[in-house]
Amino acid sequence: MSEQTIALVTGANKGIGYEIAAGLGMTVGVGARDAGRGEEAAEKLRANGVDAFAVPLDVTDDESVKAAAALFEERFGRLDVLVNNAAIAGVWPAAPSAATPESLLEVLETNVVGVLRVTNAVLPLLGRSARPRIVNLSSHLASLTLQTTPGVEFGEVNGTYTPAKTFLNALTVQYAKELTNIKINAACPGYVATDLNGFQGRDTPAEGARVAIRLATLPDDGPTGGLFDHSGPVPW
């Protein structure tokens, strides 16, 4: 990417989001719902040589998202990379028969509506980039193909988080069809040990961040509108 590439990573004060911010090699806004934790993460990143700054950002709040977009407008006048990483797990496990409308809506508000809210707010900034990229953090759980393949096991059936990520995949495809000037892809980080799953995953956050970093730095002939993990394309 060019001399100073500007990125925003949501939910970047910990876990995979933090490692994405650490590995992008860009000037990166550390999006965090808690401003104090965001500043702590940005300070830690700066101590490790990353050009990072905190961005107070609650993806479920319109005014917070508008303020974050205004910060990039004022400071840089553009945005080159958006990584929509912020997400919640909701109640887990939660079979569809045990889920409530409220529990589903809570997860959708962050994991899907939040992505749309942030993306639309910064689209004018991305439009000023020579090589804009959007990466949405998805999951193998979101793949309808894998979920319906005999012998493929993903653990407990879930009626909130899993379908929300499938919804996010569908939204990613529609954005890619509309915004042909931006490379937009979804990333499956793998089974990563984070507080989202009670640190039960096999991989480290740094390992989980690799695919998002790759998609955020795609060359001009790279793919768009796809779902990818470390090995390559993942079926929808």
Side-chain angles (χ1 to χ4, degrees):
M1 310 288 278
S2 62
E3 44 209 58
Q4 186 190 32
T5 307
I6 314 301
L8 168 61
V9 183
T10 68
N13 60 290
K14 60 183 178 179
I16 297 172
Y18 178 88
E19 295 297 341
I20 292 170
L24 281 173
M26 303 175 184
T27 298
V28 59
V30 179
R33 182 171 52 186
D34 184 299
R37 292 177 181 175
E39 186 55 53
E40 288 176 5
E43 289 178 2
K44 182 179 177 182
L45 287 164
R46 289 194 294 269
N48 288 309
V50 179
D51 185 11
F53 60 98
V55 180
L57 178 55
D58 180 348
V59 303
T60 69
D61 182 84
D62 287 336
E63 294 307 313
S64 176
V65 171
K66 289 177 184 176
L71 187 155
F72 281 87
E73 176 70 65
E74 179 180 355
R75 188 173 297 190
F76 305 107
R78 76 174 200 281
L79 181 67
D80 300 301
V81 171
L82 169 64
V83 180
N84 286 305
N85 167 75
I88 62 172
V91 178
W92 193 288
S97 59
T100 64
E102 292 77 15
S103 66
L104 175 58
L105 288 170
E106 180 184 23
V107 173
L108 289 173
E109 180 62 30
T110 296
N111 297 9
V112 181
V113 180
V115 170
L116 181 140
R117 182 179 284 115
V118 173
T119 301
N120 288 354
V122 301
L123 275 180
L125 296 165
L126 287 164
R128 298 177 201 145
S129 172
R131 303 173 70 187
R133 307 286 185 264
I134 298 175
V135 182
N136 295 331
L137 267 290
S138 184
S139 170
H140 290 96
L141 297 173
S143 169
L144 296 177
T145 298
L146 294 179
Q147 285 282 2
T148 56
T149 299
V152 176
E153 180 55 54
F154 285 118
E156 298 285 347
V157 173
N158 185 275
T160 54
Y161 178 86
T162 296
K165 287 297 186 181
T166 304
F167 193 160
L168 178 60
N169 284 356
L171 184 63
T172 301
V173 170
Q174 295 306 309
Y175 268 126
K177 288 168 69 69
E178 178 192 6
L179 305 173
T180 56
N181 61 317
I182 303 176
K183 293 196 180 298
I184 305 173
N185 292 286
C188 298
Y191 192 28
V192 178
T194 68
D195 59 0
L196 195 75
N197 57 31
F199 300 96
Q200 297 178 41
R202 295 182 299 269
D203 300 330
T204 66
E207 290 170 330
R210 288 182 303 169
V211 62
I213 293 169
R214 177 168 61 83
L215 294 172
T217 55
L218 283 172
D220 292 340
D221 61 352
T224 191
L227 176 65
F228 299 90
D229 65 9
H230 303 306
S231 300
V234 175
W236 296 112

